[in-house]
Amino acid sequence: VNCDRFSAVTLGYTPVIPTLHRADNFVYHSNLTAVREVHRLGYRRLGLATPRYDDERVHRQLSSGFAAAQRDWGLDQLPLFLVEEDGWKPSTFLKWMKRCRPDVVFSIQHEVLDWLRDAGYRVPEDVGFVGLNCPDSDGDVSGIYQNGQAVGASAIDFLVGMIHRNERGIPARPQSILIEGEWVTGRTVRRINVAAKR
C-alpha cells in the first residue's frame, strides 16, 4: 500500500502491515479490570477462551493481561483455551470446559456464551461469562465495554493533528492511543459463595 500521499490512523490492530499510528482499546488494562471485578464477586477459577489469531493480533495482550491479573490476585492458573482456527469450535471448547472446570469464562468472542447455553450450562448459575468486547455499556452481558466512540474520537483528533502538521506516509515511530475500557455489570456473572465452591 502506497501511503506517501495520505495522513492515516488505524482503528485497532488491523491492518498489521503497514504499521501506522493507531487508536484502540487498552486490552491489557481491560483484562486487569475484568479479573479484578470477578475476583470481588468470589470467582477463583477463571478461564480464557480465544482463537490464537485474536490474541496474536493484539500483541498477546489478551493472554498476558489475563495471566498477570491472575497472578496479582493469587487465583488458580488454568490452562487457556487458546487454539488455532480449526480448533475453535464447540466440541473442543466443551472438552476444555470439562477438563479445566472454570467457574467463569472470559472471551472476546460472544459465541462462547451460546456454546455454554447450548451445552446446558446455566449462565451465571453454573458458570459465569465475561465478554471482553461488550456491544454497549449497559447490556445484559457482563464484561468490558471498549469505548468504541472514544477510540474513534481519539483517532479523528490525531488524524486532524497530522493533517495540520502535514504528516503523511508511513510513520518512522508509530504511536498508539489506548483508551481504557469500562466494566459492565450485566447479568452473566453473579456474587458466589466462595466457601461452597471449595
Side-chain angles (χ1 to χ4, degrees):
V1 178
N2 187 342
C3 299
D4 292 345
R5 297 174 53 207
F6 300 98
S7 302
V9 178
T10 63
L11 292 174
Y13 286 85
T14 306
V16 176
I17 298 173
T19 302
L20 302 172
H21 300 304
R22 70 168 53 94
D24 198 5
N25 171 250
F26 191 177
V27 177
Y28 188 94
H29 183 272
S30 291
N31 273 359
L32 298 180
T33 298
V35 170
R36 181 188 69 230
E37 292 297 330
V38 300
H39 177 261
R40 287 178 177 170
L41 293 172
Y43 290 98
R44 291 199 56 82
R45 295 182 60 79
L46 283 54
L48 176 68
T50 186
R52 190 178 304 278
Y53 167 77
D54 278 342
D55 192 38
E56 291 174 352
R57 185 173 55 84
V58 296
H59 302 172
R60 295 185 174 79
Q61 290 184 73
L62 284 168
S63 59
S64 60
F66 186 77
Q70 285 181 305
R71 287 192 304 272
D72 287 350
W73 291 101
L75 302 174
D76 297 346
Q77 300 282 313
L78 304 183
L80 306 181
F81 184 68
L82 190 64
V83 295
E84 303 299 338
E85 189 174 348
D86 61 351
W88 184 253
K89 53 190 175 184
S91 58
T92 51
F93 168 74
L94 293 172
K95 287 178 183 175
W96 171 80
M97 281 291 297
K98 290 176 183 175
R99 185 176 75 251
C100 297
R101 297 177 295 107
D103 51 25
V104 60
V105 177
F106 289 59
S107 186
I108 203 163
Q109 302 286 346
H110 285 217
E111 62 195 351
V112 169
L113 181 55
D114 296 328
W115 294 351
L116 289 167
R117 288 175 170 158
D118 290 347
Y121 288 96
R122 295 173 304 153
V123 178
E125 293 82 4
D126 299 329
V127 63
F129 176 78
V130 172
L132 295 173
N133 188 12
C134 292
D136 49 58
S137 59
D138 58 359
D140 287 340
V141 176
S142 306
I144 295 294
Y145 173 60
Q146 294 192 358
N147 277 317
Q149 287 186 330
V151 171
S154 296
I156 291 169
D157 284 347
F158 196 91
L159 181 60
V160 169
M162 290 180 69
I163 293 169
H164 285 297
R165 293 187 298 271
N166 200 28
E167 294 177 13
R168 295 184 178 89
I170 299 171
R173 290 172 296 281
Q175 298 179 43
S176 295
I177 303 166
L178 301 177
I179 304 297
E180 293 184 6
E182 300 174 16
W183 174 252
V184 179
T185 302
R187 299 180 181 175
T188 57
V189 295
R190 64 187 177 98
R191 184 166 298 283
I192 62 173
N193 184 336
V194 177
K197 295 289 287 186
R198 288 181 177 169

